[in-house]
């Protein structure tokens, strides 16, 4: 289990996170939602061990991240950053290989091939990063992160995604979300994603954490958490809930005068 | 992209030919060698072994050190303008060397003082660096330190007597003219050590091109690994600057030129850049010695004089074909 317990973080006198708790389990897609500046990305950085909380604990598979070396952390979790770099001249293959830099040589090739296959990027392997579209680059970085997890021998592994759908059109974003969930189930890894799109979360997330001003408002099963009144309070606007009964699809749209 | 082994072979061949040319040109040995059956003149042979050979070795090693350090430091800071002297290493070495000169030191004490000065600067920068290993703060501290030490150096120079002033100026411009066997041995020892140390970190250097956060996420210890890279590159700069002064532009130019041929992969870069860098310094030294012979130009003037326009051309070229 990826477990946050009463995590608090301050920077320059400003409270960024206040007593946030969360549990993500392997096989599930957990989504962190909240308005801009709520502390979603900061929370993800705390989970990844990049930021150390002032108080509270972060445990990955039962181990407190405070005592883990970067290499050890890397065998437990991989991260797709919000604005992942695309160094000029690199090929997709080289990027994905970077995921397994610290793994045992025996695992590297297999992990790379599998990561490329799972993310449907095998045919991009020889392409240059700077020639890729936004969606393709996103998949390449996902492959890099998966390669890191696949090369690890740890029993419990987590994939952290920071606004990884921000640059994607809604069709690609939707298929990406479906793919993350599928990967979570197939590989039995825990996926935690920071998102902006309520409806993507509603459609694909197993669990949702609602964050506002660094405080956890609610955490639990998607259907229980994503209630109209609660979302209206957090985002400060009126919402309308649209339901398509035959397809079984719910969606929220702003309900404000144009 | 050219195959790496082919590229390295070509560079090595060019380097060897240039070394041979630089070693023999004007040595007075070519004629007797061509005639074969005469014994080689002893005096000229002596000069070759005692002056030209150590000088050539110093030129080769400084080229290799500066270019591999430049390649590593550019990758570490993801900054194409970075060079081994970025963190004020040159200024620290220059200040200490000038201090030793003003106290009346000879070549060797001045070299040692220069090296000590570079190490002291490095230690000072370490004190000022951010605890979580962020590169931006390191660069900014380095720039401030360089400015501070530079102004102290200017202050010191104004008080120097004429003789010391001439030698410090020559030293500041960089020259292989005073290179002798002690420097050559020092550089022969330092070059493989520094290069191996940097090459061992090619994965880290590649990961850093994806950003510091990503490098951390991939499992690299920025506090330790990245600092070690900076240390090695700075030591390289210190060793070079203390044995032959400031050789400008090689540490900047050689990695850029190599990158055009190999791409930005740190492993390929660290293999090819030293060969290219050594070729640059050996050629520049040959030119510095023979352009106005028997007078000699400081080699740093040559490298900057030819390097700067070439670098500008390179920049224009990169702009015109952004995805070259």
């Amino acid at each position: 289990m990826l477990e946050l317990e009463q995590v608090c973080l301050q920077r320059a006198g400003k409270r960024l996170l206040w007593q946030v708790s969360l549990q993500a389990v392997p096989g599930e897609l957990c989504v962190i939602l909240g308005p801009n500046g709520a502390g979603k990305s900061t929370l993800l950085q705390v989970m990844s061990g990049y930021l150390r909380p002032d108080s509270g604990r972060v445990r990955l598979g039962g181990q407190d991240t405070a005592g883990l070396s970067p290499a050890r952390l890397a065998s437990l979790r991989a991260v797709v950053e919000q604005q992942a770099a695309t160094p000029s001249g690199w090929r997709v293959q080289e990027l994905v290989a970077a995921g397994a830099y610290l793994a045992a040589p025996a695992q590297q090739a297999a992990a790379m091939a599998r990561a490329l296959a799972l993310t449907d990027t095998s045919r991009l392997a020889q392409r240059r990063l700077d020639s890729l579209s936004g969606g393709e680059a996103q998949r390449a970085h996902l492959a890099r992160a998966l390669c890191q997890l696949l090369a690890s021998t740890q029993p419990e592994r987590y994939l952290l995604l920071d606004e990884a759908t921000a640059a994607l059109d809604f069709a690609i974003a939707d298929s990406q979300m479906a793919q993350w969930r599928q990967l979570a189930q197939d590989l039995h890894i825990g996926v935690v994603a920071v998102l902006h799109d309520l409806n993507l979360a509603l459609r694909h997330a197993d669990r949702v954490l609602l964050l506002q001003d660094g405080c956890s408002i609610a955490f639990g099963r998607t259907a229980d958490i994503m209630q109209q009144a609660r979302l209206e309070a957090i985002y400060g606007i009126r919402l309308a809930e649209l339901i398509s009964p035959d397809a079984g699809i719910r969606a929220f749209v702003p309900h404000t005068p144009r | 992209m050219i195959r790496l082994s082919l590229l390295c072979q070509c560079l090595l061949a060019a380097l060897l030919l240039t070394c041979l040319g630089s070693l023999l040109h004007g040595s007075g040995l070519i004629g007797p060698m061509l005639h074969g059956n005469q014994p080689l003149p002893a005096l000229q042979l002596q000069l070759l072994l005692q002056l030209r050979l150590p000088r050539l070795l110093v030129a080769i090693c400084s080229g290799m050190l500066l270019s591999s350090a430049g390649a590593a430091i550019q990758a570490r800071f993801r900054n194409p303008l970075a060079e081994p002297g970025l963190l004020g290493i040159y200024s620290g070495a220059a200040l200490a060397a000038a201090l030793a000169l003003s106290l009346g030191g000879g070549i060797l004490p001045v070299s040692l003082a220069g090296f000590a000065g570079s190490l002291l600067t490095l230690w000072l920068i370490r004190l000022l660096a951010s605890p979580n290993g962020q590169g931006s703060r390191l660069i900014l501290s380095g720039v401030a330190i360089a400015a501070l030490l530079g102004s102290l150096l200017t202050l010191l120079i104004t008080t120097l007597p004429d003789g010391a002033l001439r030698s410090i100026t020559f030293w500041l411009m960089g020259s292989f003219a005073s290179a002798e066997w002690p420097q050559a041995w020092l550089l022969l020892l330092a070059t493989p050590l520094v290069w191996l140390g940097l090459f061992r970190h090619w994965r880290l250097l590649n990961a850093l091109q994806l950003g510091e956060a990503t490098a951390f996420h991939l499992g690299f210890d920025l506090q330790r690994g990245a600092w070690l890279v900076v240390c090695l590159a700075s030591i390289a700069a210190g060793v070079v600057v203390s044995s032959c002064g400031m050789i400008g532009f090689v540490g900047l130019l050689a990695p850029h030129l190599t990158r055009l041929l190999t791409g930005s992969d740190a492993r390929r870069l660290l293999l090819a850049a030293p060969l290219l860098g050594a070729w640059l310094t050996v050629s520049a030294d040959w030119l510095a010695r023979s352009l106005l012979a028997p007078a000699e130009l400081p080699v740093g003037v040559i490298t900057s004089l030819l390097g700067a326009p070439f670098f500008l051309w390179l920049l224009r070229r990169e702009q015109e074909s952004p995805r070259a």
Side-chain angles (χ1 to χ4, degrees), chain A:
Chain A
M1 190 165 22
L2 187 165
E3 198 176 9
L4 263 63
E5 193 183 301
Q6 303 280 315
V7 164
C8 300
L9 184 77
Q10 278 196 358
R11 281 291 182 273
K14 198 169 168 271
R15 197 180 76 186
L16 299 180
L17 295 173
W18 183 249
Q19 298 193 333
V20 180
S21 298
L22 165 153
Q23 297 92 31
V25 292
E28 284 194 352
L29 171 59
C30 172
V31 167
I32 303 172
L33 283 174
N36 283 335
K40 303 185 294 296
S41 294
T42 311
L43 187 65
L44 206 74
Q45 289 181 327
V46 169
M47 280 185 209
S48 76
Y50 188 64
L51 292 179
R52 196 157 286 178
D54 297 331
S55 64
R57 282 180 198 293
V58 183
R59 288 198 201 89
L60 280 172
Q63 307 174 64
D64 196 323
T65 58
L68 298 181
S69 70
R72 181 98 177 132
L73 276 172
S75 69
L76 293 166
R77 59 96 187 96
V79 185
V80 178
E81 297 80 7
Q82 195 168 348
Q83 281 172 335
T86 54
S88 65
W90 282 43
R91 290 171 198 283
V92 170
Q93 199 173 20
E94 291 165 314
L95 175 71
V96 177
Y101 267 165
L102 293 182
Q107 264 123 19
Q108 287 172 354
M112 199 173 126
R114 193 146 170 240
L116 285 169
L118 281 169
T119 52
D120 202 16
T121 42
S122 299
R123 64 189 175 80
L124 299 178
Q126 293 303 325
R127 289 265 301 276
R128 281 168 178 262
L129 285 183
D130 39 25
S131 75
L132 298 182
S133 72
E136 288 169 335
Q138 187 61 50
R139 289 213 318 268
H141 275 284
L142 182 67
R144 181 256 300 167
L146 269 183
C147 180
Q148 184 181 335
L149 294 184
L150 290 169
S152 150
T153 51
Q154 294 290 328
E156 254 188 56
R157 293 156 300 176
Y158 295 88
L159 179 63
L160 311 179
L161 305 152
D162 193 358
E163 290 189 27
T165 58
L168 308 180
D169 74 49
F170 80 99
I172 295 180
D174 192 72
S175 69
Q176 281 276 288
M177 290 283 293
Q179 191 181 23
W180 299 344
R181 185 152 182 234
Q182 197 61 47
L183 286 172
Q185 289 170 0
D186 294 351
L187 303 175
H188 197 64
I189 57 177
V191 180
V192 181
V194 164
L195 276 194
H196 266 306
D197 192 319
L198 294 182
N199 296 320
L200 279 179
L202 202 58
R203 243 167 87 70
H204 298 286
D206 294 302
R207 282 166 206 270
V208 169
L209 172 77
L210 288 179
L211 211 58
Q212 184 184 27
D213 292 330
C215 300
S216 163
I217 302 297
F219 172 68
R221 292 262 154 218
T222 308
D224 306 335
I225 299 304
M226 297 195 61
Q227 300 294 337
Q228 186 173 352
R230 198 180 272 141
L231 293 171
E232 283 178 335
I234 288 182
Y235 286 93
I237 59 168
R238 278 191 62 202
L239 293 172
E241 183 172 8
L242 309 178
I243 298 175
S244 159
D246 40 319
I249 293 172
R250 290 162 68 205
F252 291 105
V253 294
H255 187 279
T256 48
R258 284 213 299 161

Side-chain angles (χ1 to χ4, degrees), chain B residues 282-318:
Chain B
V282 171
S283 315
D285 182 47
W286 191 2
L287 280 177
R289 220 176 48 208
S290 47
L291 270 186
L292 296 179
E296 188 166 315
L297 292 167
V299 69
V301 172
I302 302 275
T303 52
S304 301
L305 211 58
L306 298 181
F310 188 75
F311 191 65
L312 289 173
W313 171 79
L314 207 67
L315 285 179
R316 266 188 76 91
R317 210 193 94 112
E318 273 177 17

